Amino acid sequence: MKTRINPEKSGRVTITRQEHGISRTLMSPNALRVLYRLKDNGFVAYLVGGCVRDLLLGREPKDFDVVTNATPGEVKRMFSNCRLIGRRFRLAHIHFKVELIEVATFRSQAADEPEPGAVETRRGEQRQRRPQILKDDEGMILRDNVFGTPEEDALRRDFTVNALAYDIADFSIIDFAGGLADLDAGIIRTIGDPNVRFQEDPVRMLRAVRFAALLGFSMAEETRNALVTAAGTIVRASPPRLYEEMLKILLSGEGAKCCDLLHQTGLFTALFPFFSAWLNAESGGFPHTRFGEMLTCVDSRIQQGDTISPQLLLALLFGEYLDEKAENFRARGMPWQQSVDAATAEFLGEVCPFVQITSRVGSALRDIIAQQTRLTHIPGRRPQLFIARTDFTDIIAYSRIVHGNKKDVASRLQWWRVQAEQMEQEPLPLLSKSTEAAGAAPRKKRRRRRKPHGLQRATQ
Ligand code: ATP
Ligand code: MG
């Protein structure tokens, strides 16, 4: 792909429709509808970010983001299926049947904000204006909500390859940050000084790793050096955000490559200090190999189009660690079930201050591990009830993936598979719409006798 500099606008490179060869048939029809409506109403409208990068690379974009010079209010007036979200920086979400298109108004770069001046209130008093961009003492952006120009909007983005825009007015690609050249060369490079950009938002370090692994790119030298220097500061990002980003990494289909990079750069140790120390040590003279094996296994499943729930993912990756913790509790005399609870609680206590696994996923993770013993009780009491559990498939998948190559486990799993298939044809009476319809005798209702009033009081 050849890039052509537009001499009239410095820093801006444009490649025309004939030169880039991206077809609109590869774009979401809904995103195109949004772009055309904005354009027809006289506004500038671009596709932007990851979708343009992916289209140029011949990859299928995950989502289509739109930027425009229309304000959120103007966007809302143009689309009846639009909801505005966000209190400080308002984004427009345009809802379609199975797709959501996000429309943002061009935003300005954080560093550009002048000192907030005084403003006059309606009563004529002087009041200090609330800064639109707020950074903490270490330069991390806490608030960032100023409208800007298309160029400012591009330059506030994280990496050069993520700052490309597709202009619906003439179908050209606009590049303000050198993204086209980096896309050609396969380089992840921050826009501006990487030290500052990682300080403003440490999550960008994880994004750099994810994009490098996923696209098969290398990091620009200065970007990588800054990342290694700043790796320890990753924990300044909010724990729920780090959890979301780690899920994206581990479910990207390139989790093993990402984790290699996270290890090499020091990010892994910073995010998972306890687990990382354990991983590097041995138990009983054996290295801990399951984590690496499971990463590869998860990657191949994702690449084949499988979905893996967050709890199953965590169970697969951290199961060996949890087993060892539970074993330690048992060695101190704790019963089996309790030892799994204690091991999970200890694990969550280590991880959540940095990477905040939600409590729902935490409990589901514990259940997957705790229910493994139930699989060994064949037939046990009421196997149908066990099969009817919502997490049955995760419990089975965990056993199959981790222990499925053992003969006894494989035959046990086969037994459960047959039971589950039978149940599919003959659902549990209790779970069917009506017990009578399923041929089972209706359960008699037990009448509760009310105590005489006086007696009730006397026993209180
Ligand atoms: P994908 O959706 O395939 O994971 P993406 O590049 O589209 O990749 P999104 O998280 O969807 O990533 O973000 C859309 C765009 O918003 C990015 O391409 C980038 O331009 C910008 N962006 C996202 N996160 C940041 C950030 N932390 N700092 C600066 N810009 C960001
Ligand atoms: Mg995206």
Side-chain angles (χ1 to χ4, degrees), residues 331-370:
R332 285 182 248 153
M334 202 179 262
W336 200 91
Q337 207 64 246
Q338 239 176 297
S339 74
V340 175
D341 291 355
T344 315
E346 191 175 271
F347 168 70
L348 294 175
E350 289 172 6
V351 173
C352 289
F354 310 114
V355 178
Q356 197 180 327
I357 298 167
T358 60
S359 54
R360 188 187 60 79
V361 170
S363 324
L365 159 69
R366 181 205 53 213
D367 288 350
I368 291 176
I369 307 284

mmCIF file of all heavy atoms in Angstrom, residues 331-370:
data_model
loop_
_atom_site.group_PDB
_atom_site.id
_atom_site.type_symbol
_atom_site.label_atom_id
_atom_site.label_comp_id
_atom_site.label_asym_id
_atom_site.label_seq_id
_atom_site.Cartn_x
_atom_site.Cartn_y
_atom_site.Cartn_z
ATOM 1 N N ALA A 331 -3.950 -30.810 54.300
ATOM 2 C CA ALA A 331 -2.834 -31.336 55.096
ATOM 3 C C ALA A 331 -2.919 -30.809 56.538
ATOM 4 O O ALA A 331 -2.407 -31.424 57.467
ATOM 5 C CB ALA A 331 -1.508 -30.930 54.464
ATOM 6 N N ARG A 332 -3.622 -29.660 56.695
ATOM 7 C CA ARG A 332 -3.797 -29.116 58.049
ATOM 8 C C ARG A 332 -5.105 -29.595 58.673
ATOM 9 O O ARG A 332 -5.593 -29.021 59.637
ATOM 10 C CB ARG A 332 -3.772 -27.589 57.996
ATOM 11 C CG ARG A 332 -2.368 -27.040 57.792
ATOM 12 C CD ARG A 332 -2.381 -25.530 57.788
ATOM 13 N NE ARG A 332 -2.073 -25.008 56.468
ATOM 14 C CZ ARG A 332 -2.499 -23.827 56.014
ATOM 15 N NH1 ARG A 332 -3.257 -23.066 56.775
ATOM 16 N NH2 ARG A 332 -2.157 -23.412 54.823
ATOM 17 N N GLY A 333 -5.727 -30.603 58.045
ATOM 18 C CA GLY A 333 -6.905 -31.248 58.646
ATOM 19 C C GLY A 333 -8.241 -30.697 58.188
ATOM 20 O O GLY A 333 -9.280 -31.041 58.745
ATOM 21 N N MET A 334 -8.271 -29.880 57.175
ATOM 22 C CA MET A 334 -9.550 -29.301 56.727
ATOM 23 C C MET A 334 -10.285 -30.294 55.823
ATOM 24 O O MET A 334 -9.650 -30.963 55.008
ATOM 25 C CB MET A 334 -9.259 -28.017 55.950
ATOM 26 C CG MET A 334 -10.420 -27.071 55.895
ATOM 27 S SD MET A 334 -9.966 -25.588 54.983
ATOM 28 C CE MET A 334 -9.562 -24.474 56.283
ATOM 29 N N PRO A 335 -11.623 -30.425 55.971
ATOM 30 C CA PRO A 335 -12.369 -31.324 55.068
ATOM 31 C C PRO A 335 -12.281 -30.832 53.615
ATOM 32 O O PRO A 335 -12.051 -29.645 53.367
ATOM 33 C CB PRO A 335 -13.816 -31.240 55.572
ATOM 34 C CG PRO A 335 -13.771 -30.521 56.858
ATOM 35 C CD PRO A 335 -12.491 -29.776 56.953
ATOM 36 N N TRP A 336 -12.543 -31.765 52.665
ATOM 37 C CA TRP A 336 -12.299 -31.501 51.244
ATOM 38 C C TRP A 336 -13.014 -30.247 50.736
ATOM 39 O O TRP A 336 -12.382 -29.327 50.217
ATOM 40 C CB TRP A 336 -12.728 -32.725 50.411
ATOM 41 C CG TRP A 336 -12.090 -32.714 49.064
ATOM 42 C CD1 TRP A 336 -10.905 -33.293 48.737
ATOM 43 C CD2 TRP A 336 -12.561 -32.068 47.893
ATOM 44 N NE1 TRP A 336 -10.604 -33.048 47.434
ATOM 45 C CE2 TRP A 336 -11.603 -32.295 46.878
ATOM 46 C CE3 TRP A 336 -13.679 -31.314 47.585
ATOM 47 C CZ2 TRP A 336 -11.748 -31.811 45.598
ATOM 48 C CZ3 TRP A 336 -13.830 -30.814 46.301
ATOM 49 C CH2 TRP A 336 -12.866 -31.065 45.325
ATOM 50 N N GLN A 337 -14.336 -30.235 50.916
ATOM 51 C CA GLN A 337 -15.134 -29.133 50.356
ATOM 52 C C GLN A 337 -14.674 -27.779 50.913
ATOM 53 O O GLN A 337 -14.511 -26.813 50.175
ATOM 54 C CB GLN A 337 -16.616 -29.364 50.696
ATOM 55 C CG GLN A 337 -17.590 -28.742 49.726
ATOM 56 C CD GLN A 337 -17.490 -29.331 48.319
ATOM 57 O OE1 GLN A 337 -17.113 -28.655 47.417
ATOM 58 N NE2 GLN A 337 -17.790 -30.594 48.135
ATOM 59 N N GLN A 338 -14.433 -27.787 52.217
ATOM 60 C CA GLN A 338 -14.000 -26.540 52.866
ATOM 61 C C GLN A 338 -12.632 -26.098 52.354
ATOM 62 O O GLN A 338 -12.356 -24.908 52.228
ATOM 63 C CB GLN A 338 -13.884 -26.798 54.369
ATOM 64 C CG GLN A 338 -14.774 -25.900 55.212
ATOM 65 C CD GLN A 338 -14.642 -26.306 56.665
ATOM 66 O OE1 GLN A 338 -14.989 -27.435 57.023
ATOM 67 N NE2 GLN A 338 -14.106 -25.430 57.483
ATOM 68 N N SER A 339 -11.790 -27.090 52.050
ATOM 69 C CA SER A 339 -10.435 -26.753 51.585
ATOM 70 C C SER A 339 -10.498 -26.046 50.223
ATOM 71 O O SER A 339 -9.703 -25.147 49.946
ATOM 72 C CB SER A 339 -9.565 -28.015 51.501
ATOM 73 O OG SER A 339 -9.950 -28.793 50.392
ATOM 74 N N VAL A 340 -11.460 -26.437 49.392
ATOM 75 C CA VAL A 340 -11.601 -25.777 48.078
ATOM 76 C C VAL A 340 -12.104 -24.342 48.290
ATOM 77 O O VAL A 340 -11.616 -23.398 47.651
ATOM 78 C CB VAL A 340 -12.563 -26.567 47.154
ATOM 79 C CG1 VAL A 340 -12.795 -25.816 45.854
ATOM 80 C CG2 VAL A 340 -12.009 -27.954 46.879
ATOM 81 N N ASP A 341 -13.064 -24.187 49.202
ATOM 82 C CA ASP A 341 -13.573 -22.833 49.505
ATOM 83 C C ASP A 341 -12.431 -21.942 49.988
ATOM 84 O O ASP A 341 -12.276 -20.811 49.537
ATOM 85 C CB ASP A 341 -14.641 -22.884 50.609
ATOM 86 C CG ASP A 341 -15.918 -23.546 50.135
ATOM 87 O OD1 ASP A 341 -15.998 -23.874 48.941
ATOM 88 O OD2 ASP A 341 -16.821 -23.763 50.975
ATOM 89 N N ALA A 342 -11.639 -22.487 50.919
ATOM 90 C CA ALA A 342 -10.551 -21.689 51.505
ATOM 91 C C ALA A 342 -9.493 -21.360 50.446
ATOM 92 O O ALA A 342 -8.977 -20.237 50.399
ATOM 93 C CB ALA A 342 -9.911 -22.454 52.666
ATOM 94 N N ALA A 343 -9.187 -22.337 49.580
ATOM 95 C CA ALA A 343 -8.178 -22.116 48.531
ATOM 96 C C ALA A 343 -8.651 -21.028 47.575
ATOM 97 O O ALA A 343 -7.879 -20.124 47.203
ATOM 98 C CB ALA A 343 -7.927 -23.418 47.770
ATOM 99 N N THR A 344 -9.937 -21.092 47.183
ATOM 100 C CA THR A 344 -10.462 -20.084 46.244
ATOM 101 C C THR A 344 -10.446 -18.709 46.907
ATOM 102 O O THR A 344 -10.068 -17.719 46.267
ATOM 103 C CB THR A 344 -11.898 -20.447 45.798
ATOM 104 O OG1 THR A 344 -11.948 -21.826 45.491
ATOM 105 C CG2 THR A 344 -12.327 -19.639 44.594
ATOM 106 N N ALA A 345 -10.866 -18.671 48.175
ATOM 107 C CA ALA A 345 -10.904 -17.377 48.874
ATOM 108 C C ALA A 345 -9.491 -16.790 48.955
ATOM 109 O O ALA A 345 -9.291 -15.588 48.734
ATOM 110 C CB ALA A 345 -11.486 -17.551 50.275
ATOM 111 N N GLU A 346 -8.510 -17.644 49.250
ATOM 112 C CA GLU A 346 -7.126 -17.155 49.353
ATOM 113 C C GLU A 346 -6.638 -16.633 47.990
ATOM 114 O O GLU A 346 -6.027 -15.571 47.897
ATOM 115 C CB GLU A 346 -6.220 -18.284 49.840
ATOM 116 C CG GLU A 346 -4.829 -17.791 50.226
ATOM 117 C CD GLU A 346 -3.995 -18.918 50.821
ATOM 118 O OE1 GLU A 346 -4.054 -19.098 52.049
ATOM 119 O OE2 GLU A 346 -3.279 -19.597 50.062
ATOM 120 N N PHE A 347 -6.951 -17.388 46.947
ATOM 121 C CA PHE A 347 -6.555 -16.991 45.584
ATOM 122 C C PHE A 347 -7.187 -15.645 45.213
ATOM 123 O O PHE A 347 -6.513 -14.728 44.734
ATOM 124 C CB PHE A 347 -6.978 -18.088 44.595
ATOM 125 C CG PHE A 347 -6.903 -17.688 43.158
ATOM 126 C CD1 PHE A 347 -5.670 -17.500 42.536
ATOM 127 C CD2 PHE A 347 -8.059 -17.480 42.405
ATOM 128 C CE1 PHE A 347 -5.594 -17.125 41.191
ATOM 129 C CE2 PHE A 347 -7.997 -17.103 41.068
ATOM 130 C CZ PHE A 347 -6.759 -16.923 40.467
ATOM 131 N N LEU A 348 -8.496 -15.504 45.464
ATOM 132 C CA LEU A 348 -9.173 -14.246 45.117
ATOM 133 C C LEU A 348 -8.601 -13.092 45.938
ATOM 134 O O LEU A 348 -8.463 -11.973 45.446
ATOM 135 C CB LEU A 348 -10.687 -14.368 45.328
ATOM 136 C CG LEU A 348 -11.402 -15.362 44.399
ATOM 137 C CD1 LEU A 348 -12.874 -15.510 44.773
ATOM 138 C CD2 LEU A 348 -11.284 -14.928 42.938
ATOM 139 N N GLY A 349 -8.241 -13.391 47.181
ATOM 140 C CA GLY A 349 -7.645 -12.363 48.047
ATOM 141 C C GLY A 349 -6.297 -11.885 47.498
ATOM 142 O O GLY A 349 -5.926 -10.724 47.651
ATOM 143 N N GLU A 350 -5.571 -12.774 46.857
ATOM 144 C CA GLU A 350 -4.279 -12.390 46.267
ATOM 145 C C GLU A 350 -4.446 -11.579 44.987
ATOM 146 O O GLU A 350 -3.723 -10.618 44.739
ATOM 147 C CB GLU A 350 -3.483 -13.660 45.899
ATOM 148 C CG GLU A 350 -2.942 -14.450 47.067
ATOM 149 C CD GLU A 350 -2.334 -15.796 46.605
ATOM 150 O OE1 GLU A 350 -2.237 -16.049 45.379
ATOM 151 O OE2 GLU A 350 -1.970 -16.568 47.478
ATOM 152 N N VAL A 351 -5.410 -12.020 44.154
ATOM 153 C CA VAL A 351 -5.515 -11.464 42.794
ATOM 154 C C VAL A 351 -6.362 -10.186 42.738
ATOM 155 O O VAL A 351 -6.005 -9.219 42.048
ATOM 156 C CB VAL A 351 -6.085 -12.543 41.824
ATOM 157 C CG1 VAL A 351 -6.365 -11.959 40.456
ATOM 158 C CG2 VAL A 351 -5.109 -13.696 41.706
ATOM 159 N N CYS A 352 -7.496 -10.191 43.469
ATOM 160 C CA CYS A 352 -8.482 -9.113 43.290
ATOM 161 C C CYS A 352 -8.004 -7.694 43.616
ATOM 162 O O CYS A 352 -8.511 -6.744 43.016
ATOM 163 C CB CYS A 352 -9.766 -9.438 44.039
ATOM 164 S SG CYS A 352 -10.657 -10.774 43.230
ATOM 165 N N PRO A 353 -7.044 -7.493 44.527
ATOM 166 C CA PRO A 353 -6.596 -6.105 44.718
ATOM 167 C C PRO A 353 -6.006 -5.503 43.436
ATOM 168 O O PRO A 353 -5.968 -4.298 43.268
ATOM 169 C CB PRO A 353 -5.519 -6.226 45.795
ATOM 170 C CG PRO A 353 -5.840 -7.477 46.508
ATOM 171 C CD PRO A 353 -6.437 -8.404 45.492
ATOM 172 N N PHE A 354 -5.552 -6.346 42.513
ATOM 173 C CA PHE A 354 -4.972 -5.849 41.250
ATOM 174 C C PHE A 354 -5.916 -6.094 40.076
ATOM 175 O O PHE A 354 -6.191 -5.196 39.289
ATOM 176 C CB PHE A 354 -3.623 -6.528 40.982
ATOM 177 C CG PHE A 354 -2.687 -6.486 42.160
ATOM 178 C CD1 PHE A 354 -2.322 -7.647 42.813
ATOM 179 C CD2 PHE A 354 -2.191 -5.272 42.628
ATOM 180 C CE1 PHE A 354 -1.475 -7.612 43.907
ATOM 181 C CE2 PHE A 354 -1.349 -5.223 43.723
ATOM 182 C CZ PHE A 354 -0.987 -6.392 44.372
ATOM 183 N N VAL A 355 -6.351 -7.329 39.960
ATOM 184 C CA VAL A 355 -7.214 -7.721 38.833
ATOM 185 C C VAL A 355 -8.519 -8.212 39.450
ATOM 186 O O VAL A 355 -8.586 -9.320 39.975
ATOM 187 C CB VAL A 355 -6.542 -8.856 38.022
ATOM 188 C CG1 VAL A 355 -7.421 -9.308 36.878
ATOM 189 C CG2 VAL A 355 -5.173 -8.414 37.506
ATOM 190 N N GLN A 356 -9.535 -7.358 39.429
ATOM 191 C CA GLN A 356 -10.722 -7.666 40.224
ATOM 192 C C GLN A 356 -11.697 -8.606 39.524
ATOM 193 O O GLN A 356 -12.563 -8.166 38.756
ATOM 194 C CB GLN A 356 -11.439 -6.381 40.612
ATOM 195 C CG GLN A 356 -12.412 -6.625 41.745
ATOM 196 C CD GLN A 356 -13.123 -5.358 42.140
ATOM 197 O OE1 GLN A 356 -12.566 -4.273 42.062
ATOM 198 N NE2 GLN A 356 -14.358 -5.483 42.544
ATOM 199 N N ILE A 357 -11.519 -9.886 39.828
ATOM 200 C CA ILE A 357 -12.451 -10.896 39.320
ATOM 201 C C ILE A 357 -13.797 -10.632 39.994
ATOM 202 O O ILE A 357 -13.849 -10.427 41.207
ATOM 203 C CB ILE A 357 -11.932 -12.307 39.680
ATOM 204 C CG1 ILE A 357 -10.580 -12.538 39.002
ATOM 205 C CG2 ILE A 357 -12.934 -13.390 39.316
ATOM 206 C CD1 ILE A 357 -9.815 -13.749 39.511
ATOM 207 N N THR A 358 -14.883 -10.612 39.218
ATOM 208 C CA THR A 358 -16.182 -10.297 39.831
ATOM 209 C C THR A 358 -16.570 -11.409 40.802
ATOM 210 O O THR A 358 -16.138 -12.562 40.643
ATOM 211 C CB THR A 358 -17.291 -10.176 38.768
ATOM 212 O OG1 THR A 358 -17.382 -11.429 38.092
ATOM 213 C CG2 THR A 358 -16.993 -9.085 37.756
ATOM 214 N N SER A 359 -17.406 -11.080 41.796
ATOM 215 C CA SER A 359 -17.734 -12.095 42.798
ATOM 216 C C SER A 359 -18.537 -13.233 42.165
ATOM 217 O O SER A 359 -18.401 -14.392 42.557
ATOM 218 C CB SER A 359 -18.471 -11.482 43.979
ATOM 219 O OG SER A 359 -19.571 -10.779 43.523
ATOM 220 N N ARG A 360 -19.345 -12.915 41.137
ATOM 221 C CA ARG A 360 -20.125 -13.965 40.467
ATOM 222 C C ARG A 360 -19.167 -14.974 39.809
ATOM 223 O O ARG A 360 -19.323 -16.182 39.974
ATOM 224 C CB ARG A 360 -21.029 -13.333 39.405
ATOM 225 C CG ARG A 360 -22.011 -14.298 38.777
ATOM 226 C CD ARG A 360 -22.759 -13.651 37.623
ATOM 227 N NE ARG A 360 -21.884 -13.204 36.551
ATOM 228 C CZ ARG A 360 -21.358 -14.005 35.628
ATOM 229 N NH1 ARG A 360 -21.595 -15.297 35.666
ATOM 230 N NH2 ARG A 360 -20.576 -13.518 34.686
ATOM 231 N N VAL A 361 -18.161 -14.453 39.117
ATOM 232 C CA VAL A 361 -17.203 -15.347 38.445
ATOM 233 C C VAL A 361 -16.356 -16.097 39.479
ATOM 234 O O VAL A 361 -16.057 -17.277 39.319
ATOM 235 C CB VAL A 361 -16.332 -14.556 37.435
ATOM 236 C CG1 VAL A 361 -15.187 -15.400 36.908
ATOM 237 C CG2 VAL A 361 -17.184 -14.063 36.281
ATOM 238 N N GLY A 362 -16.017 -15.417 40.578
ATOM 239 C CA GLY A 362 -15.238 -16.050 41.648
ATOM 240 C C GLY A 362 -15.976 -17.259 42.214
ATOM 241 O O GLY A 362 -15.398 -18.335 42.375
ATOM 242 N N SER A 363 -17.285 -17.100 42.504
ATOM 243 C CA SER A 363 -18.052 -18.231 43.056
ATOM 244 C C SER A 363 -18.200 -19.333 42.015
ATOM 245 O O SER A 363 -18.133 -20.525 42.350
ATOM 246 C CB SER A 363 -19.470 -17.844 43.471
ATOM 247 O OG SER A 363 -19.509 -16.587 43.999
ATOM 248 N N ALA A 364 -18.398 -18.949 40.765
ATOM 249 C CA ALA A 364 -18.557 -19.955 39.709
ATOM 250 C C ALA A 364 -17.257 -20.749 39.531
ATOM 251 O O ALA A 364 -17.283 -21.955 39.290
ATOM 252 C CB ALA A 364 -18.967 -19.284 38.410
ATOM 253 N N LEU A 365 -16.132 -20.057 39.676
ATOM 254 C CA LEU A 365 -14.825 -20.720 39.586
ATOM 255 C C LEU A 365 -14.701 -21.761 40.707
ATOM 256 O O LEU A 365 -14.314 -22.913 40.468
ATOM 257 C CB LEU A 365 -13.721 -19.654 39.706
ATOM 258 C CG LEU A 365 -12.335 -20.111 40.128
ATOM 259 C CD1 LEU A 365 -11.694 -20.947 39.030
ATOM 260 C CD2 LEU A 365 -11.435 -18.901 40.432
ATOM 261 N N ARG A 366 -15.049 -21.350 41.925
ATOM 262 C CA ARG A 366 -14.984 -22.277 43.065
ATOM 263 C C ARG A 366 -15.857 -23.505 42.810
ATOM 264 O O ARG A 366 -15.445 -24.633 43.045
ATOM 265 C CB ARG A 366 -15.457 -21.548 44.333
ATOM 266 C CG ARG A 366 -15.414 -22.409 45.577
ATOM 267 C CD ARG A 366 -16.396 -21.919 46.612
ATOM 268 N NE ARG A 366 -17.735 -21.798 46.039
ATOM 269 C CZ ARG A 366 -18.630 -20.876 46.407
ATOM 270 N NH1 ARG A 366 -18.341 -20.001 47.325
ATOM 271 N NH2 ARG A 366 -19.835 -20.846 45.845
ATOM 272 N N ASP A 367 -17.069 -23.272 42.267
ATOM 273 C CA ASP A 367 -17.992 -24.390 42.038
ATOM 274 C C ASP A 367 -17.430 -25.388 41.021
ATOM 275 O O ASP A 367 -17.589 -26.590 41.183
ATOM 276 C CB ASP A 367 -19.348 -23.872 41.552
ATOM 277 C CG ASP A 367 -20.108 -23.187 42.679
ATOM 278 O OD1 ASP A 367 -19.661 -23.287 43.838
ATOM 279 O OD2 ASP A 367 -21.130 -22.524 42.394
ATOM 280 N N ILE A 368 -16.799 -24.886 39.975
ATOM 281 C CA ILE A 368 -16.244 -25.804 38.955
ATOM 282 C C ILE A 368 -15.236 -26.748 39.606
ATOM 283 O O ILE A 368 -15.235 -27.955 39.380
ATOM 284 C CB ILE A 368 -15.576 -25.023 37.801
ATOM 285 C CG1 ILE A 368 -16.638 -24.285 36.986
ATOM 286 C CG2 ILE A 368 -14.784 -25.969 36.890
ATOM 287 C CD1 ILE A 368 -16.076 -23.416 35.877
ATOM 288 N N ILE A 369 -14.384 -26.191 40.467
ATOM 289 C CA ILE A 369 -13.362 -27.029 41.127
ATOM 290 C C ILE A 369 -14.034 -27.929 42.167
ATOM 291 O O ILE A 369 -13.762 -29.133 42.227
ATOM 292 C CB ILE A 369 -12.289 -26.148 41.816
ATOM 293 C CG1 ILE A 369 -11.699 -25.123 40.839
ATOM 294 C CG2 ILE A 369 -11.207 -26.998 42.488
ATOM 295 C CD1 ILE A 369 -10.726 -25.667 39.842
ATOM 296 N N ALA A 370 -14.938 -27.339 42.952
ATOM 297 C CA ALA A 370 -15.549 -28.093 44.058
ATOM 298 C C ALA A 370 -16.403 -29.248 43.546
ATOM 299 O O ALA A 370 -16.489 -30.291 44.196
ATOM 300 C CB ALA A 370 -16.387 -27.157 44.922
#
